[in-house]
Amino acid sequence: MTGLEFALALAAAFLLVLILGLRYLSIAAKRHTQQGPSHPAHRAEQHAQDSTSEDSDSSGTAVAAATQRARHEVEALRASVEVEVDALRRAARTEAEATRASAESTRKDAEAARARAEAAADELLSDARRRSEREHQALQAQLEAREQSLQARQLEVERQSDANRQAAERLAVDAIELERANAAVTERAAELASAETESQLARAAEAVAQEAALARIAGLTVEEAKAELLTAVEASARRDAATLVRTIENEARAEANERAKAIVVDAVQRVASEQTSETVVSVLHLPSDEMKGRIIGREGRNIRAFESVTGVNVIIDDTPEAVLLSCFDPVRREIGRIALEKLVLDGRIHPHRIEEVYEIARTEVDALCLRAAHDALAEVGITDLDPRLVPTLGRLKYRTSYGQNVLGHLIETAHIAGLMAAELGIEPALVKRSAFLHDIGKALTHEVEGSHALVGAELLRKYGESEAVAHAVEAHHNEVQPRTVEAVLTQAADTCSAARPGARRESLETYVKRLERIEEIAGAKPGVEKVFAMQSGREVRVMVQPNEVDDLAAGVIAREVAKQIEDELTYPGQIRVTVVRELRSTEIAH
């Protein structure tokens, strides 16, 4: 409640009290003047009136005086009330003016606050406007940059299109030139065949004359002379045929093999992956030789429990501070290695602890296999492989083939196949998938009977892989005849990955047998003096006797040796056959 409202309420209360007082006095006066005969005062007054009229006149005068005094008192009271009301009114007015001044001050403060708020709003609006202008300029700059990038990309696409068109024109010109070269080769072969026919007719006529001369001079029979003549003609024909074959082969190789060599070399060079040689034995280093006794345990109970639980043989010999773990299952060998390493670090080695650590190590190896499988899938870009195949794929992390890690071989093969498919204009996704999964059956070959190609194909069909991928897997070792381009490219990529230098290691016995057989094949040819197998069997040097073998016969020997090696032997990569014919003439000056 404000001061003005309080003053007004107080004034109203005083007025109410005044009105009530006046009313009370008026009622009392009326009651005094209008009393009946029964009232004692009335009876006294009547008695007084009866006694004397003078007393009545004096009583009336007294009542009038009392009424007059009461009226004067009421008027005085009214005047005092009015004075108080005026004072209250002036106080209320003063309070109202003070309230009005406070309200005016509040209004001014409100107006100032509103002015400040409007100024702040204007400042925020200007900041927002400037920010929006900056963002607009940034967006405009990004748009211009993107337009420039798009224009540059369009120009690049146009240049690439022009380059492709020019390459297509060059290929068309090369094809025309190749057709012309083939026609020239065909014409040359026809000319050589015609010349050969004429030469044969001339040699036949000459042979008839020689036959008569030989029969007359040497005393030979016709059959003997004919046999000798046929031998000479055969040698001459072989020389001519070798010359023709060598010419045609050189021309055809220069034109036909250039593209294939470029594709294979480019694919192999662009995939530069490392390979590590792994065996069936793992070495675990110990902190001291005393740990060997703790591994063996009392009466050998610890080592027997370890071998029984893990399936890994522990070999403890005189090697200082080291033990060997041997197992043909690489996953079990890795589990055993991790388990024994944890036991050595923990120091508590007993049968119950061995079982606990084995379970921990197996869980850890399973996690490592899954991680390796996911990393390999991410590296080759395959995202939709069935999750049930992932653990099987991860087990190949610990599987080797001729010292080459199988999972690394799969990644390398997928990259090579993808590059070859891209060079040939084929969609690389399916080819890379086929190449990446082609050796997945090696994870199951010790559990399921059959070759890894057929086992892998059946596994892929079981888990919903496409028939094209399954066929490429089962055909990559020609156990099933390849029928698709993907299968052929999978074979080629597998061969490139396995045959590159340093990729695989073979057993010493197989290596020695292959070298011996190469030397036997080359040494069995007539006129061969010495044979040298060089560069780990990738090159063969054949030394021939110059008096028995001429230049053309040397080419024939090289081709025959290479063909026989291809038919009889299995080897990684290629083998170069070089025939060396050297004639030395020495004289001594005295």
Side-chain angles (χ1 to χ4, degrees):
M1 179 181 293
T2 62
L4 180 59
E5 292 177 351
F6 178 76
L8 292 175
L10 185 61
F14 274 108
L15 289 175
L16 181 61
V17 171
L18 180 58
I19 292 169
L20 291 176
L22 292 175
R23 187 168 183 139
Y24 174 74
L25 291 175
S26 177
I27 292 172
K30 288 180 181 180
R31 185 175 298 170
H32 180 71
T33 57
Q34 294 179 359
Q35 288 180 352
S38 61
H39 195 273
H42 180 71
R43 286 194 302 268
E45 185 178 356
Q46 188 67 30
H47 180 71
Q49 286 178 0
D50 292 341
S51 301
T52 177
S53 58
E54 293 179 357
D55 293 335
S56 287
D57 292 337
S58 61
S59 293
T61 303
V63 170
T67 303
Q68 186 67 27
R69 283 195 304 273
R71 186 176 293 111
H72 288 314
E73 291 176 0
V74 169
E75 289 177 357
L77 182 60
R78 181 182 299 168
S80 65
V81 169
E82 288 178 357
V83 171
E84 291 180 1
V85 168
D86 290 336
L88 290 174
R89 188 175 293 137
R90 286 194 298 271
R93 189 177 296 112
T94 303
E95 184 70 22
E97 290 176 356
T99 304
R100 189 180 298 110
S102 176
E104 184 68 21
S105 176
T106 305
R107 185 180 61 79
K108 292 180 180 180
D109 293 341
E111 290 178 354
R114 184 176 63 185
R116 289 195 298 272
E118 290 178 354
D122 293 337
E123 185 177 358
L124 290 176
L125 183 60
S126 61
D127 290 341
R129 187 178 295 108
R130 288 194 297 271
R131 191 181 301 112
S132 64
E133 290 177 355
R134 288 196 299 269
E135 292 178 355
H136 178 70
Q137 292 175 359
L139 291 175
Q140 187 69 23
Q142 291 180 0
L143 180 60
E144 292 176 356
R146 290 185 179 178
E147 289 179 353
Q148 293 177 0
S149 175
L150 181 59
Q151 291 177 358
R153 192 171 299 172
Q154 289 177 352
L155 293 176
E156 182 66 24
V157 170
E158 291 177 358
R159 286 196 297 270
Q160 187 67 28
S161 177
D162 295 338
N164 292 336
R165 184 170 59 256
Q166 293 176 2
E169 292 175 356
R170 287 196 301 270
L171 289 176
V173 173
D174 293 341
I176 294 173
E177 292 179 356
L178 182 60
E179 290 179 357
R180 291 178 181 174
N182 290 332
V185 170
T186 304
E187 184 178 356
R188 179 62 178 167
E191 292 177 357
L192 290 176
S194 177
E196 179 66 21
T197 302
E198 294 177 358
S199 176
Q200 288 179 359
L201 293 176
R203 284 196 296 270
E206 185 180 356
V208 173
Q210 287 179 356
E211 181 180 352
L214 288 174
R216 184 177 63 255
I217 296 172
L220 297 175
T221 61
V222 176
E223 288 75 9
E224 293 175 350
K226 186 180 295 185
E228 186 174 351
L229 183 60
L230 288 175
T231 303
V233 170
E234 181 181 358
S236 177
R238 287 175 66 87
R239 284 195 299 271
D240 294 339
T243 302
L244 178 61
V245 168
R246 185 168 59 185
T247 302
I248 295 175
E249 283 182 351
N250 291 335
E251 293 178 355
R253 279 197 195 118
E255 297 293 336
N257 293 338
E258 182 177 358
R259 180 64 176 167
K261 288 180 180 179
I263 292 174
V264 173
V265 169
D266 182 67
V268 172
Q269 287 180 349
R270 288 170 64 183
V271 178
S273 60
E274 299 180 354
Q275 296 293 341
T276 56
S277 296
E278 302 180 17
T279 60
V280 296
V281 177
S282 297
V283 179
L284 179 65
H285 296 281
L286 303 177
S288 63
D289 286 336
E290 297 178 356
M291 188 60 66
K292 293 182 179 180
R294 301 178 65 179
I295 293 174
I296 295 173
R298 182 180 300 175
E299 298 179 355
R301 67 170 188 172
N302 290 344
I303 191 172
R304 286 197 302 271
F306 183 85
E307 292 178 348
S308 175
V309 171
T310 62
V312 178
N313 295 325
V314 181
I315 302 174
I316 300 177
D317 52 13
D318 295 336
T319 304
E321 298 181 355
V323 295
L324 301 179
L325 302 176
S326 176
C327 181
F328 284 96
D329 187 345
V331 178
R332 282 192 302 172
R333 186 174 71 249
E334 182 65 14
I335 294 174
R337 186 191 68 79
I338 294 176
L340 186 57
E341 184 177 3
K342 290 182 179 296
L343 289 170
V344 170
L345 292 176
D346 185 42
R348 296 176 296 168
I349 304 178
H350 51 82
H352 182 67
R353 180 61 180 167
I354 289 173
E355 294 178 358
E356 293 178 353
V357 173
Y358 170 74
E359 294 297 331
I360 296 173
R362 187 174 65 177
T363 304
E364 184 176 342
V365 170
D366 291 341
L368 292 174
C369 291
L370 288 177
R371 186 184 306 169
H374 287 299
D375 292 342
L377 290 171
E379 185 172 351
V380 299
I382 297 176
T383 59
D384 56 346
L385 188 68
D386 193 294
R388 293 171 292 181
L389 288 173
V390 175
T392 304
L393 185 65
R395 293 167 65 183
L396 295 177
K397 171 182 172 63
Y398 301 104
R399 177 67 188 265
T400 60
S401 178
Y402 294 98
Q404 184 182 26
N405 184 272
V406 177
L407 189 58
H409 167 62
L410 294 183
I411 297 173
E412 181 178 319
T413 304
H415 288 318
I416 293 175
L419 293 173
M420 294 173 69
E423 290 291 336
L424 295 175
I426 302 172
E427 176 62 32
L430 182 59
V431 179
K432 289 181 68 175
R433 193 182 190 92
S434 303
F436 181 71
L437 298 174
H438 77 278
D439 273 347
I440 194 172
K442 287 186 177 180
L444 303 174
T445 50
H446 63 287
E447 301 174 359
V448 181
E449 294 184 357
S451 67
H452 70 276
L454 299 178
V455 170
E458 292 300 325
L459 180 65
L460 295 178
R461 289 190 179 97
K462 177 181 178 181
Y463 290 115
E465 283 294 329
S466 63
E467 183 61 29
V469 175
H471 171 67
V473 171
E474 67 183 2
H476 77 275
H477 281 320
N478 287 323
E479 292 172 323
V480 175
Q481 190 67 25
R483 301 186 302 270
T484 61
V485 178
E486 290 80 9
V488 176
L489 287 178
T490 301
Q491 281 185 333
D494 181 29
T495 303
C496 289
S497 174
R500 66 176 180 82
R504 291 190 173 186
R505 185 189 67 248
E506 57 185 348
S507 64
L508 178 63
E509 183 180 0
T510 305
Y511 170 74
V512 172
K513 286 183 179 180
R514 189 176 75 239
L515 294 185
E516 291 177 352
R517 182 54 186 160
I518 290 174
E519 292 181 352
E520 289 177 0
I521 291 173
K525 302 300 177 182
V528 175
E529 183 178 2
K530 297 178 180 179
V531 179
F532 301 99
M534 307 172 64
Q535 297 183 4
S536 301
R538 290 184 173 85
E539 183 177 357
V540 181
R541 296 280 180 89
V542 182
M543 313 297 292
V544 298
Q545 298 178 358
N547 297 328
E548 298 181 7
V549 180
D550 57 7
D551 292 341
L552 295 177
V556 173
I557 291 175
R559 188 163 47 255
E560 290 178 352
V561 171
K563 185 67 171 59
Q564 189 171 354
I565 290 175
E566 289 179 0
D567 295 339
E568 295 185 10
L569 298 181
T570 300
Y571 50 90
Q574 61 183 8
I575 297 177
R576 182 190 300 274
V577 179
T578 304
V579 177
V580 180
R581 178 178 178 270
E582 183 182 10
L583 178 61
R584 296 182 181 181
S585 298
T586 305
E587 294 291 341
I588 300 175
H590 296 284

